[in-house]
Amino acid sequence: MIRIDSIATRTGDRGTTALADGTRLPKQHPLIAAIGAVDEANSVIGLALTANLPGDIAAVLPTVQNDLFDLGADLAVPPGGAHEDKMQRISANQVARLDALLAASVARVLPLTSFVLPGGSPAAAWLHLARTVVRRAERDLCAAMEADQQRLWNPEALRYLNRLSDACFMWARRANDDGRADVVWVPGAPR
């Protein structure tokens, strides 16, 4: 059980933040950027939930939000360190669930005939934004992995982000009437 007694700890006033094991890192560290991008993606998915989504997508997004908290905890609690036994790691099962959801959406939407511009319905626009934030989280995590090659990284964390960005793209197409209301790129369109 998690108990949070104070939000304003003031421990970050000097430009550092703590991982769950007490390690302090500069706020601009790639790992902190990755954790922040995961949090931001979770917030954008929360915004998508306020829009008119297909029912099956609305039903799964709270689970995705919980997964993203697991992912943030996974990143904030170094494997092999203190508190590791208290945290849920992103698992191959969570990645497989996204794979199955992605396949189900692919089977429903029209085939792509052009690149899709972010937009269409408000729900699709939020899911496209979520996709881009998840892609940034993925890039930030890659940078963190490159910066600290000694750390024991959970490979499922990167896989989860990669699948989630694809799923957000397909869910955006689903929110655009299964791709019928997608806004397509028209190369060289009059400006």
Side-chain angles (χ1 to χ4, degrees):
M1 177 73 159
I2 296 174
R3 179 184 168 126
I4 301 171
D5 293 320
S6 177
I7 297 299
T9 63
R10 295 173 178 74
T11 59
D13 290 351
R14 292 197 173 114
T16 65
T17 195
L19 297 179
D21 69 349
T23 303
R24 296 204 70 79
L25 295 174
K27 290 191 178 192
Q28 72 276 11
H29 190 281
L31 179 56
I32 303 306
I35 293 168
V38 167
D39 187 34
E40 187 178 346
N42 204 339
S43 296
V44 177
I45 288 171
L47 285 167
L49 278 164
T50 69
N52 187 20
L53 291 166
D56 60 319
I57 297 170
V60 76
L61 288 183
T63 300
V64 170
Q65 287 188 295
N66 276 285
D67 287 350
L68 288 172
F69 258 81
D70 289 348
L71 179 55
D74 192 327
L75 299 177
V77 179
H83 309 294
E84 178 182 8
D85 59 332
K86 298 177 186 169
M87 288 297 168
Q88 175 68 40
R89 298 277 177 215
I90 289 294
S91 70
N93 289 340
Q94 288 165 298
V95 175
R97 182 174 20 85
L98 277 180
D99 275 330
L101 292 168
L102 181 58
S105 286
V106 167
R108 291 186 61 153
V109 299
L110 296 175
L112 284 170
T113 58
S114 178
F115 287 102
V116 175
L117 300 177
S121 70
W126 283 123
L127 288 165
H128 277 296
L129 180 58
R131 172 187 55 80
T132 64
V133 175
V134 171
R135 282 286 187 216
R136 179 164 28 92
E138 185 180 11
R139 290 189 308 272
D140 289 344
L141 180 52
C142 287
M145 293 168 79
E146 178 70 24
D148 187 356
Q149 295 181 14
Q150 302 304 312
R151 185 172 178 201
L152 299 171
W153 296 95
N154 176 3
E156 300 305 330
L158 191 57
R159 289 183 188 111
Y160 187 89
L161 289 172
N162 188 267
R163 295 310 185 289
L164 181 57
S165 61
D166 291 340
C168 285
F169 176 75
M170 292 310 299
W171 293 334
R173 296 200 65 219
R174 293 276 323 283
N176 275 338
D177 193 20
D178 290 335
R180 286 182 278 282
D182 281 341
V183 180
V184 296
W185 175 45
V186 180
R191 301 189 200 314

